[in-house]
Amino acid sequence: MSSALPVVFIGGGGHAAVCLDVFRSGGRDVIGYLAPDAGDLDLAHLGGDDQLSSFVDADVELFVAIGSNRVRAALVASAVDLGIALATGISDRAVVSPSARIGAGS
């Protein structure tokens, strides 16, 4: 994870907690999360996902940390449509093939 920009998660449930461990172990600064309700995630709750557009000109990357493929894909598409950069999280314990292509938001 090479980018120095801080990360904002979309999602605050169990999948986000696992992703948070990956980002923190990689040295990334995750500053908060968007979710309909504040939960138990050890981060600042920044509002609901309706606040997504407030990050258009912010110096952050977003990471959609939601387990549902359908919901995750829709939120990724919304962020991309708004021109918001997506963060990529790769565990420091992952074995990644040299021929693999890992896209933004993975």
Side-chain angles (χ1 to χ4, degrees), residues 58-94:
D59 287 331
V60 299
E61 292 181 326
L62 294 181
F63 185 80
V64 183
I66 294 177
S68 166
N69 291 333
R70 182 184 56 77
V71 174
R72 186 173 57 249
L75 287 167
V76 165
S78 294
V80 169
D81 287 348
L82 290 168
I84 302 171
L86 298 175
T88 300
I90 303 171
S91 172
D92 55 357
R93 295 187 178 126

Short mmCIF file of all heavy atoms in Angstrom, two decimals, residues 58-94:
data_model
loop_
_atom_site.label_atom_id
_atom_site.label_comp_id
_atom_site.label_asym_id
_atom_site.label_seq_id
_atom_site.Cartn_x
_atom_site.Cartn_y
_atom_site.Cartn_z
N ALA A 58 -11.58 16.20 -1.28
CA ALA A 58 -10.78 15.95 -0.08
C ALA A 58 -9.53 15.15 -0.45
O ALA A 58 -9.53 14.38 -1.41
CB ALA A 58 -11.60 15.16 0.94
N ASP A 59 -8.47 15.36 0.29
CA ASP A 59 -7.23 14.60 0.07
C ASP A 59 -7.27 13.30 0.85
O ASP A 59 -6.52 13.08 1.81
CB ASP A 59 -6.02 15.44 0.48
CG ASP A 59 -5.73 16.55 -0.51
OD1 ASP A 59 -6.04 16.38 -1.70
OD2 ASP A 59 -5.21 17.59 -0.09
N VAL A 60 -8.19 12.43 0.43
CA VAL A 60 -8.34 11.11 1.03
C VAL A 60 -8.62 10.10 -0.08
O VAL A 60 -8.95 10.48 -1.21
CB VAL A 60 -9.50 11.04 2.06
CG1 VAL A 60 -9.28 11.99 3.21
CG2 VAL A 60 -10.85 11.29 1.41
N GLU A 61 -8.47 8.85 0.26
CA GLU A 61 -8.93 7.77 -0.59
C GLU A 61 -10.06 7.06 0.15
O GLU A 61 -10.07 7.04 1.38
CB GLU A 61 -7.80 6.78 -0.88
CG GLU A 61 -6.71 7.34 -1.74
CD GLU A 61 -5.62 6.33 -2.03
OE1 GLU A 61 -5.30 5.49 -1.16
OE2 GLU A 61 -5.06 6.41 -3.13
N LEU A 62 -10.98 6.52 -0.60
CA LEU A 62 -12.09 5.76 0.00
C LEU A 62 -11.86 4.27 -0.19
O LEU A 62 -11.27 3.84 -1.19
CB LEU A 62 -13.42 6.15 -0.64
CG LEU A 62 -13.91 7.57 -0.41
CD1 LEU A 62 -15.25 7.78 -1.10
CD2 LEU A 62 -14.04 7.87 1.07
N PHE A 63 -12.34 3.51 0.77
CA PHE A 63 -12.32 2.06 0.64
C PHE A 63 -13.70 1.56 1.06
O PHE A 63 -14.16 1.84 2.17
CB PHE A 63 -11.24 1.43 1.53
CG PHE A 63 -11.12 -0.05 1.33
CD1 PHE A 63 -10.42 -0.55 0.24
CD2 PHE A 63 -11.73 -0.93 2.18
CE1 PHE A 63 -10.32 -1.91 0.02
CE2 PHE A 63 -11.64 -2.30 1.99
CZ PHE A 63 -10.94 -2.79 0.90
N VAL A 64 -14.36 0.84 0.17
CA VAL A 64 -15.69 0.31 0.47
C VAL A 64 -15.54 -1.02 1.18
O VAL A 64 -15.18 -2.02 0.57
CB VAL A 64 -16.56 0.18 -0.80
CG1 VAL A 64 -17.95 -0.30 -0.43
CG2 VAL A 64 -16.63 1.53 -1.53
N ALA A 65 -15.78 -0.99 2.48
CA ALA A 65 -15.56 -2.15 3.35
C ALA A 65 -16.90 -2.75 3.75
O ALA A 65 -17.26 -2.79 4.92
CB ALA A 65 -14.75 -1.73 4.57
N ILE A 66 -17.62 -3.22 2.74
CA ILE A 66 -18.95 -3.80 2.94
C ILE A 66 -18.94 -5.19 2.34
O ILE A 66 -18.45 -5.40 1.22
CB ILE A 66 -20.03 -2.92 2.29
CG1 ILE A 66 -20.09 -1.58 3.02
CG2 ILE A 66 -21.39 -3.61 2.27
CD1 ILE A 66 -21.05 -0.59 2.44
N GLY A 67 -19.45 -6.16 3.07
CA GLY A 67 -19.41 -7.55 2.64
C GLY A 67 -20.29 -7.89 1.44
O GLY A 67 -19.94 -8.74 0.64
N SER A 68 -21.41 -7.22 1.28
CA SER A 68 -22.33 -7.52 0.17
C SER A 68 -21.72 -7.06 -1.15
O SER A 68 -21.46 -5.87 -1.34
CB SER A 68 -23.66 -6.81 0.40
OG SER A 68 -24.44 -6.82 -0.78
N ASN A 69 -21.53 -8.00 -2.07
CA ASN A 69 -20.96 -7.66 -3.38
C ASN A 69 -21.81 -6.63 -4.11
O ASN A 69 -21.27 -5.71 -4.73
CB ASN A 69 -20.82 -8.90 -4.25
CG ASN A 69 -19.76 -9.85 -3.74
OD1 ASN A 69 -18.82 -9.44 -3.07
ND2 ASN A 69 -19.92 -11.12 -4.03
N ARG A 70 -23.11 -6.79 -4.08
CA ARG A 70 -24.01 -5.88 -4.79
C ARG A 70 -23.92 -4.46 -4.24
O ARG A 70 -23.76 -3.49 -4.98
CB ARG A 70 -25.45 -6.40 -4.71
CG ARG A 70 -26.47 -5.54 -5.44
CD ARG A 70 -27.90 -6.04 -5.24
NE ARG A 70 -28.29 -6.14 -3.85
CZ ARG A 70 -28.63 -5.10 -3.07
NH1 ARG A 70 -28.60 -3.89 -3.55
NH2 ARG A 70 -28.99 -5.29 -1.83
N VAL A 71 -23.99 -4.33 -2.92
CA VAL A 71 -23.93 -3.01 -2.29
C VAL A 71 -22.54 -2.40 -2.49
O VAL A 71 -22.40 -1.22 -2.80
CB VAL A 71 -24.29 -3.11 -0.79
CG1 VAL A 71 -24.09 -1.78 -0.09
CG2 VAL A 71 -25.72 -3.60 -0.62
N ARG A 72 -21.50 -3.22 -2.32
CA ARG A 72 -20.13 -2.73 -2.50
C ARG A 72 -19.93 -2.21 -3.91
O ARG A 72 -19.38 -1.13 -4.12
CB ARG A 72 -19.12 -3.83 -2.17
CG ARG A 72 -17.68 -3.37 -2.19
CD ARG A 72 -16.69 -4.41 -1.69
NE ARG A 72 -16.76 -5.65 -2.41
CZ ARG A 72 -17.21 -6.81 -1.92
NH1 ARG A 72 -17.60 -6.89 -0.66
NH2 ARG A 72 -17.23 -7.90 -2.65
N ALA A 73 -20.38 -2.97 -4.91
CA ALA A 73 -20.22 -2.54 -6.31
C ALA A 73 -20.93 -1.22 -6.59
O ALA A 73 -20.40 -0.35 -7.28
CB ALA A 73 -20.72 -3.63 -7.26
N ALA A 74 -22.12 -1.06 -6.04
CA ALA A 74 -22.88 0.18 -6.25
C ALA A 74 -22.16 1.38 -5.62
O ALA A 74 -22.07 2.45 -6.22
CB ALA A 74 -24.29 0.05 -5.68
N LEU A 75 -21.61 1.19 -4.42
CA LEU A 75 -20.92 2.29 -3.76
C LEU A 75 -19.58 2.61 -4.42
O LEU A 75 -19.20 3.77 -4.53
CB LEU A 75 -20.72 1.98 -2.27
CG LEU A 75 -22.01 2.07 -1.45
CD1 LEU A 75 -21.82 1.44 -0.08
CD2 LEU A 75 -22.48 3.50 -1.33
N VAL A 76 -18.89 1.60 -4.91
CA VAL A 76 -17.66 1.84 -5.67
C VAL A 76 -17.99 2.63 -6.93
O VAL A 76 -17.31 3.61 -7.26
CB VAL A 76 -16.94 0.51 -6.02
CG1 VAL A 76 -15.89 0.72 -7.09
CG2 VAL A 76 -16.31 -0.09 -4.77
N ALA A 77 -19.03 2.24 -7.63
CA ALA A 77 -19.44 2.96 -8.85
C ALA A 77 -19.78 4.41 -8.53
O ALA A 77 -19.40 5.32 -9.29
CB ALA A 77 -20.62 2.25 -9.51
N SER A 78 -20.46 4.65 -7.43
CA SER A 78 -20.80 6.02 -7.03
C SER A 78 -19.54 6.84 -6.77
O SER A 78 -19.44 7.99 -7.21
CB SER A 78 -21.68 6.02 -5.78
OG SER A 78 -22.93 5.44 -6.05
N ALA A 79 -18.59 6.27 -6.06
CA ALA A 79 -17.34 6.98 -5.76
C ALA A 79 -16.56 7.28 -7.04
O ALA A 79 -16.07 8.39 -7.23
CB ALA A 79 -16.49 6.16 -4.80
N VAL A 80 -16.48 6.30 -7.93
CA VAL A 80 -15.77 6.49 -9.20
C VAL A 80 -16.46 7.56 -10.04
O VAL A 80 -15.80 8.43 -10.61
CB VAL A 80 -15.65 5.15 -9.96
CG1 VAL A 80 -15.18 5.36 -11.38
CG2 VAL A 80 -14.72 4.20 -9.22
N ASP A 81 -17.78 7.52 -10.09
CA ASP A 81 -18.53 8.53 -10.84
C ASP A 81 -18.27 9.95 -10.31
O ASP A 81 -18.27 10.91 -11.08
CB ASP A 81 -20.04 8.25 -10.80
CG ASP A 81 -20.45 7.06 -11.66
OD1 ASP A 81 -19.62 6.59 -12.47
OD2 ASP A 81 -21.59 6.59 -11.49
N LEU A 82 -18.04 10.06 -9.01
CA LEU A 82 -17.75 11.35 -8.40
C LEU A 82 -16.28 11.75 -8.55
O LEU A 82 -15.90 12.86 -8.21
CB LEU A 82 -18.12 11.33 -6.91
CG LEU A 82 -19.61 11.28 -6.59
CD1 LEU A 82 -19.83 10.97 -5.11
CD2 LEU A 82 -20.28 12.61 -6.95
N GLY A 83 -15.46 10.83 -9.03
CA GLY A 83 -14.03 11.12 -9.21
C GLY A 83 -13.22 10.96 -7.94
O GLY A 83 -12.12 11.52 -7.84
N ILE A 84 -13.72 10.22 -6.99
CA ILE A 84 -13.01 10.01 -5.72
C ILE A 84 -12.06 8.82 -5.87
O ILE A 84 -12.45 7.77 -6.36
CB ILE A 84 -14.01 9.77 -4.57
CG1 ILE A 84 -14.99 10.94 -4.45
CG2 ILE A 84 -13.26 9.54 -3.27
CD1 ILE A 84 -16.13 10.69 -3.50
N ALA A 85 -10.83 9.00 -5.43
CA ALA A 85 -9.82 7.94 -5.51
C ALA A 85 -10.16 6.81 -4.55
O ALA A 85 -10.67 7.04 -3.44
CB ALA A 85 -8.44 8.50 -5.17
N LEU A 86 -9.88 5.59 -4.99
CA LEU A 86 -10.12 4.41 -4.16
C LEU A 86 -8.80 3.87 -3.63
O LEU A 86 -7.80 3.79 -4.35
CB LEU A 86 -10.82 3.33 -4.98
CG LEU A 86 -12.20 3.69 -5.53
CD1 LEU A 86 -12.72 2.57 -6.41
CD2 LEU A 86 -13.17 3.98 -4.39
N ALA A 87 -8.82 3.48 -2.37
CA ALA A 87 -7.65 2.87 -1.74
C ALA A 87 -7.63 1.37 -2.05
O ALA A 87 -8.66 0.76 -2.31
CB ALA A 87 -7.71 3.07 -0.23
N THR A 88 -6.44 0.80 -2.02
CA THR A 88 -6.26 -0.63 -2.19
C THR A 88 -5.62 -1.19 -0.94
O THR A 88 -4.64 -0.63 -0.45
CB THR A 88 -5.37 -0.92 -3.42
OG1 THR A 88 -6.01 -0.38 -4.58
CG2 THR A 88 -5.16 -2.41 -3.62
N GLY A 89 -6.17 -2.27 -0.43
CA GLY A 89 -5.62 -2.89 0.78
C GLY A 89 -5.14 -4.29 0.50
O GLY A 89 -5.91 -5.13 0.03
N ILE A 90 -3.87 -4.53 0.75
CA ILE A 90 -3.29 -5.86 0.56
C ILE A 90 -2.61 -6.25 1.87
O ILE A 90 -1.71 -5.53 2.33
CB ILE A 90 -2.27 -5.89 -0.59
CG1 ILE A 90 -2.92 -5.42 -1.88
CG2 ILE A 90 -1.68 -7.29 -0.76
CD1 ILE A 90 -1.94 -5.20 -3.02
N SER A 91 -3.01 -7.34 2.44
CA SER A 91 -2.41 -7.80 3.68
C SER A 91 -0.93 -8.05 3.50
O SER A 91 -0.49 -8.56 2.46
CB SER A 91 -3.09 -9.09 4.14
OG SER A 91 -2.40 -9.64 5.25
N ASP A 92 -0.16 -7.72 4.52
CA ASP A 92 1.27 -7.98 4.47
C ASP A 92 1.56 -9.48 4.54
O ASP A 92 2.68 -9.91 4.32
CB ASP A 92 2.01 -7.23 5.57
CG ASP A 92 1.49 -7.51 6.96
OD1 ASP A 92 0.51 -8.25 7.11
OD2 ASP A 92 2.07 -6.96 7.91
N ARG A 93 0.55 -10.28 4.77
CA ARG A 93 0.69 -11.74 4.81
C ARG A 93 0.20 -12.41 3.52
O ARG A 93 0.28 -13.61 3.39
CB ARG A 93 -0.07 -12.31 5.99
CG ARG A 93 0.50 -11.84 7.31
CD ARG A 93 -0.16 -12.53 8.47
NE ARG A 93 0.47 -12.08 9.69
CZ ARG A 93 -0.17 -11.57 10.71
NH1 ARG A 93 -1.48 -11.45 10.67
NH2 ARG A 93 0.47 -11.18 11.78
N ALA A 94 -0.28 -11.61 2.59
CA ALA A 94 -0.81 -12.16 1.33
C ALA A 94 0.32 -12.61 0.42
O ALA A 94 1.39 -12.01 0.39
CB ALA A 94 -1.65 -11.11 0.61
#
